[in-house]
Amino acid sequence: MEVNGTESTIDKDQITEFEIYFYVIFGLIGIIFNGLVLFIGLRHVDTHDKPRQIIVMNMTLSDLLACLIYISTRPVLSRAPRVMCYPYYILIFISQFSSCLHLLWLNLDKFIYIKYPLNYYLIVTRRRVLSLCWVTWAVLTALGAVSYSTMDILHPCDGININHYIYLCIVVMYVVIISASFAISAVIYCIATNSRRMEPSARSQLFKRLFFVFSSTTWTFVTILPYRMLYLSSLMMRDWIGRKFSYFFIVLTNLFLYFIVIGIVMNPLVTILTQRLYREKVFYYFKWIVKLCPFIKSSPPSIHENTTVSYSGARRLLSVASALPPTSKVTSPANRKRFNSCIEVPVRDENGRKKYEALRVHHGHFNEVQF
């Protein structure tokens, strides 16, 4: 929701029944997925090894705050007490700006990574990233408190006045930050594609690492920037030309406001789909929940369960089971033993020729079989 006005205008929102269901449903979905991503990040991510994940977690925290404070409470905003209006709008300002700024920091991180790969871990350290995030939250809190100190409450929280020029600066800052993130992401893409000193396999691996930044930046650019640009255009037309938007552009602006909500809710899904750690942990917790459900029957464990294998070359493994002798009879579970040795398995090399390689099987539990 955007609220603004001059000293002689009131911007009061009229929420429909469709919007009530829209905000409630998407607010709950956003809380669940953002909370899940934040939990996985805090529980499983090693920020000493990957300090950039601190920025990802702060982005997720910003979206979680937006879902908790803005999206899910939007239908009952008109019933909120007047004393809650000032902190309410400050928190909305902080959460939305924080998400955009941390996306900018993430793009700068990837730019340093691809431009100065040898000095990356000397430049980007965990302490510096933590300091940057703390400073970001502190500056946004102070900026929000100052910006909304001019706010006049004319209706319980959904009708307020704020200094027109201050709000114009806020919208311009949104546009500049999002555009800068997209520009840096485009520069990173150009550097990665035009590098001739990189092997094809290394380039493919690099693009996999950059895919999250590209997808997050593009998604934010598509879902947030159109509304900000349309709103900025309406402010400039009203101030400089003295004309207002036509009905078509007013409807289009309100339509893109829904895209902002959808973008905030879908940001954690982008994180889950593009980052392997979060994707694997989501599947892990999903299986854990399924096991807790008594009405869901799980399949019996395989003979190769809990087996970890490793082989020397990056070749496609044809079959692990083919390397083991055929089972004729399985003894009782009491006779299970730890299997730790090397076996010969069929693989294919780069030219597609079949050969056998030694494969190490360790820390696996196999049933003792009789041949």
Side-chain angles (χ1 to χ4, degrees), residues 221-239:
F221 185 84
V222 171
T223 56
I224 295 182
L225 192 64
Y227 175 79
R228 303 297 180 188
M229 290 295 296
L230 286 170
Y231 206 92
L232 180 62
S233 300
S234 68
L235 294 177
M236 295 174 67
M237 286 181 62
R238 186 174 62 183
D239 293 344

Side-chain angles (χ1 to χ4, degrees), residues 49-344:
D49 181 54
K50 297 179 179 179
R52 71 176 67 93
Q53 288 294 328
I54 299 175
I55 304 176
V56 176
M57 286 186 279
N58 277 272
M59 287 175 56
T60 306
L61 177 60
S62 303
D63 293 334
L64 179 61
L65 289 176
C67 292
L68 283 170
I69 298 170
Y70 166 48
I71 300 177
S72 60
T73 62
R74 177 67 189 86
V76 296
L77 181 60
S78 60
R79 303 175 186 176
R82 294 172 65 92
V83 69
M84 297 298 297
C85 297
Y86 182 65
Y88 173 81
Y89 284 107
I90 292 178
L91 289 173
I92 291 177
F93 171 87
I94 294 172
S95 62
Q96 293 186 355
F97 252 114
S98 175
S99 181
C100 296
L101 271 177
H102 282 101
L103 180 63
L104 178 62
W105 304 152
L106 191 63
N107 277 277
L108 288 174
D109 169 84
K110 287 299 183 182
F111 177 78
I112 297 173
Y113 173 79
I114 196 172
K115 189 67 176 178
Y116 309 102
L118 298 180
N119 297 323
Y120 171 77
Y121 285 101
L122 297 177
I123 300 173
V124 180
T125 62
R126 185 176 184 271
R127 177 176 296 181
R128 290 177 179 175
V129 174
L130 280 173
S131 301
L132 178 63
C133 293
W134 278 110
V135 169
T136 300
W137 287 100
V139 170
L140 289 178
T141 302
L143 186 61
V146 172
S147 300
Y148 283 89
S149 62
T150 62
M151 181 181 68
D152 294 326
I153 303 172
L154 304 176
H155 190 271
C157 281
D158 58 347
I160 67 169
N161 279 346
I162 187 173
N163 185 277
H164 177 71
Y165 296 103
I166 290 179
Y167 195 78
L168 180 63
C169 294
I170 291 175
V171 178
V172 170
M173 288 171 60
Y174 272 120
V175 174
V176 170
I177 292 173
I178 298 172
S179 301
S181 298
F182 188 79
I184 295 174
S185 187
V187 171
I188 294 172
Y189 180 81
C190 292
I191 294 175
T193 53
N194 295 328
S195 178
R196 299 181 179 180
R197 296 177 296 177
M198 194 176 299
E199 295 293 332
S201 58
R203 181 175 298 176
S204 176
Q205 187 67 24
L206 177 62
F207 273 101
K208 288 181 181 179
R209 295 181 178 180
L210 298 176
F211 184 67
F212 169 67
V213 177
F214 292 155
S215 57
S216 297
T217 305
T218 304
W219 178 251
T220 303
F221 185 84
V222 171
T223 56
I224 295 182
L225 192 64
Y227 175 79
R228 303 297 180 188
M229 290 295 296
L230 286 170
Y231 206 92
L232 180 62
S233 300
S234 68
L235 294 177
M236 295 174 67
M237 286 181 62
R238 186 174 62 183
D239 293 344
W240 296 352
I241 306 178
R243 298 179 58 184
K244 293 184 178 181
F245 261 2
S246 64
Y247 178 76
F248 170 77
F249 283 103
I250 293 176
V251 173
L252 187 63
T253 304
N254 293 331
L255 179 64
F256 277 113
L257 177 59
Y258 298 140
F259 277 76
I260 292 182
V261 176
I262 296 173
I264 294 173
V265 172
M266 295 301 170
N267 279 338
L269 293 180
V270 174
T271 304
I272 293 172
L273 293 175
T274 57
Q275 296 206 51
R276 182 173 58 87
L277 172 65
Y278 293 94
R279 189 167 58 249
E280 290 179 350
K281 293 304 177 182
V282 166
F283 287 136
Y284 168 79
Y285 285 112
F286 176 76
K287 293 179 181 178
W288 179 72
I289 293 174
V290 169
K291 289 182 180 179
L292 294 179
C293 298
F295 53 86
I296 300 179
K297 294 183 179 180
S298 58
S299 58
S302 171
I303 190 174
H304 307 301
E305 189 177 3
N306 298 328
T307 305
T308 304
V309 297
S310 60
Y311 52 95
S312 58
R315 301 176 177 86
R316 185 167 64 90
L317 180 64
L318 297 182
S319 174
V320 177
S322 62
L324 299 175
T327 304
S328 59
K329 183 178 179 181
V330 180
T331 59
S332 62
N335 293 327
R336 295 168 69 93
K337 69 177 183 179
R338 184 174 297 275
F339 190 89
N340 191 354
S341 66
C342 289
I343 57 178
E344 294 289 329

